[in-house]
């Protein structure tokens, strides 16, 4: 429940505190250009609902690098996953990263950095 999570985080902020969050999402087939604006993504809506103002930076072009690095790190740690009997976690991470890279290559992923301040 993203709106409830943001409301809870707001209660823990010190005076003049800020939230700094990254948010990645997959574009839907029915999304319009307006739907893709950061303020219309679920995080933007949750921040607005909890009376935050925010600015964003588009990190979409960096998304591919994040998932490539995720695969490299998982592969580097594969033996540790095996030793800990957590091979399913490894497989899940590889599958998630591979799917997200596929979506990113097709231009279906967005990634924004949100810097939010309570009003």
């Amino acid at each position: 429940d993203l709106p409830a999570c943001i409301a809870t985080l707001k209660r823990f902020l010190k005076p003049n505190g800020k939230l700094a969050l990254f948010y990645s999402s997959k574009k839907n087939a029915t999304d319009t250009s307006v739907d893709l604006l950061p303020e219309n993504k679920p995080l933007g809506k949750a921040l607005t609902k909890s009376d935050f103002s925010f600015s964003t930076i588009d990190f979409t072009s960096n998304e591919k690098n994040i998932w490539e690095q995720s695969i490299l790190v998982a592969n580097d740690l594969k033996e540790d996953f095996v030793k800990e009997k957590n091979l399913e976690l490894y497989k899940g991470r590889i599958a998630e990263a591979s799917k997200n890279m596929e979506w990113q290559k097709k231009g279906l992923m967005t990634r924004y950095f949100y810097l939010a301040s309570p009003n």
Side-chain angles (χ1 to χ4, degrees), residues 10-21:
K10 183 178 183 180
R11 291 195 308 265
F12 288 101
L13 284 178
K14 293 181 180 182
N16 300 315
K18 297 182 185 307
L19 289 178
L21 305 160

Side-chain angles (χ1 to χ4, degrees), residues 3 8-9 12 15 18 27 32 46-47 58 62 66 74-75 80 85 87-88 94 99 104-105 107-109 112 118-119:
T8 299
L9 289 172
F12 288 101
K18 297 182 185 307
K27 296 178 187 176
T32 67
L47 289 166
D58 188 345
N62 192 37
I66 290 167
N75 283 328
D80 294 322
K85 297 182 181 1
L87 192 56
E88 290 305 311
I94 294 293
K99 186 54 128 174
Q104 197 280 333
K105 286 177 185 176
L108 299 175
M109 293 290 293
Y112 288 97
N119 292 322

Side-chain angles (χ1 to χ4, degrees), residues 6 9-10 13 19 46-48 50-54 116-119:
I6 296 299
L9 289 172
K10 183 178 183 180
L13 284 178
L19 289 178
L47 289 166
T48 300
S50 289
D51 198 29
F52 277 89
S53 57
F54 58 90
S117 302
N119 292 322

Side-chain angles (χ1 to χ4, degrees), residues 25-32 35-36 41-42 107-110:
S25 63
K26 183 177 181 279
K27 296 178 187 176
N28 296 314
T30 58
D31 282 344
T32 67
D35 295 326
L36 300 176
K41 294 308 229 172
L108 299 175
M109 293 290 293
T110 61

